[in-house]
Amino acid sequence: MNNIEKIIQTIKADIKKNPSKLFGLLYPYILLVGLGVGIFYLYNINKVEESTIPPAVPVSTQAEDLPLIMPSESVSSDISSLTTPTDDLINKGKVIFTASCVACHGADGKGDGVAAVALTPKPRNFTSKDGWINSPKLSGIYKTLSEGISGSAMVAFDNLSPADKFALAHYIRKAFVPDPPQDTPDEITAMVQTYHLGENQKNPGQIPVKDAMQLVINDNQSRYQNILSALNNISKDSQPGAQIFSRVTNNKIEALTTLSSSDDWHKSEQSFVDIIVNNINQDGFNGNVYDMTKADWNTFYSYMNKNF
Ligand code: HEC
C-alpha cells in the first residue's frame, strides 16, 4: 500500500466515526468547483448565449431499432411497377423518410430538421426549385440515394433496396416538390442500366443501429460487410467450429466485432484465446469458453481463422 492509499484509508476510518467531518473535508473542494464554474461562465458568457443545439444523430434513435437482416439476393422487381407512384410506395416512402431523413430534411421537407443547424451545406429544401444538384426527378433522387452527395452530410443509403429508394423518391415528389418534373424514357433506361435494376439485387443486409454504432459504419464499410457475411455463413454452417461459435457467444455480432478489431489472433492460437477470454461477457463471448478443451480451442481457432 502506498502513502496516498494509507492516507485515504485513515480519512475513510475517520469519517465513519464522525460523518459530519465529511462536509468539512469536502467544503474547500465544493467551494473551488463553484468558483471554477462561476469563472468559466463569466469568461464564456457570450458563447453561452449564442450556443447552438448539438446535431442530432441522423438515424432517429427514438424510433424502434432496425431489425437484423441477413445479406441476401432478391429477384428483380418489375421496373415499371417501381416507377409508378402507387399509394403503397408513397406510404412506404413516408415511413422510411420519418425514420431516416427527418432529422436533417425536416418533417415538412424544408431542410430544417434538428440536425440541419450544424450542417454546411444545408440539407435540401424539397419545396423549393432551387439548389438541386441531381434534380427532383425519380432518376435524380435515385442517384442521390445511391451515391450520396460528396462534400456534404448527404451520404449514400446503401442499405435501402431499390424499392425503398423509389418509395422515398415518390414520397418526396408527392409530398414536397411543387410540379415534380418527369423523367424522359431515356433517363429511365439510363437509370436502369447504371444501377443494374433489371438484374437480381444483392441486399447487403442490415444490423441494428446500436450494433452499427459500435462498428462506426462510415469508416468501416468493409469490416461491416465482412462481419455480416461471416455471420451469415457461420449461422448456416454445421461444422464443429461453427457449433462452438454458437455455444460460446452471447452476442454474435459483438463477438465478431471483437475479433475484427485486431489481426493479431490470426498469427497465434494463444492470442486468439487471450482476446476472447480477457473480456468475457463484454466482448460477445460467454463463460462457456472456460469449459472448452484444448482440442475444442484448436477446432474453434482453425475454423475462425479460415472463415473470418
Ligand atoms: C445527416 C443529414 C442528412 C440526412 C440524414 C439525409 N440527408 Fe439528404 N441531404 C442532406 C444535405 C446536407 C443535402 C444537400 C447536399 C448539398 O447541397 O451538397 C441533402 C440533399 C438531399 C437531396 C437533394 C439532392 C440534390 O439533387 O440536390 C435529396 C433528394 C435527399 N437529400 C434525400 C434524402 C433522403 C431520402 C434521406 C433519407 C433516406 C436523406 N436525404 C437523409 C443531408 C441529409
Side-chain angles (χ1 to χ4, degrees), residues 207-246:
I207 66 179
V209 172
K210 66 176 169 38
D211 296 311
M213 298 272 203
Q214 291 174 348
L215 299 176
V216 201
I217 304 182
N218 286 342
D219 297 334
N220 287 298
Q221 269 299 344
S222 68
R223 192 174 152 203
Y224 166 66
Q225 293 304 339
N226 282 346
I227 291 175
L228 274 175
S229 69
L231 185 63
N232 193 29
N233 293 338
I234 298 174
S235 51
K236 277 196 228 137
D237 202 343
S238 59
Q239 288 187 47
Q243 290 173 5
I244 297 181
F245 180 77
S246 302

Side-chain angles (χ1 to χ4, degrees), residues 58 100-101 104-105 119 121-124 126 131-135 141 144-145 149 152-154 157 168 172:
S100 307
C101 322
C104 292
H105 289 282
L119 299 178
K122 294 283 171 228
R124 185 72 56 252
F126 299 137
W132 289 80
I133 293 170
N134 289 329
S135 93
I141 299 180
T144 300
L145 289 173
I149 298 202
S152 83
M154 182 65 208
F157 281 76
L168 277 164
I172 290 174

Side-chain angles (χ1 to χ4, degrees), residues 18-31:
N18 184 358
S20 66
K21 271 198 181 169
L22 180 65
F23 184 71
L25 277 169
L26 288 181
Y27 183 68
Y29 182 68
I30 294 170
L31 196 71

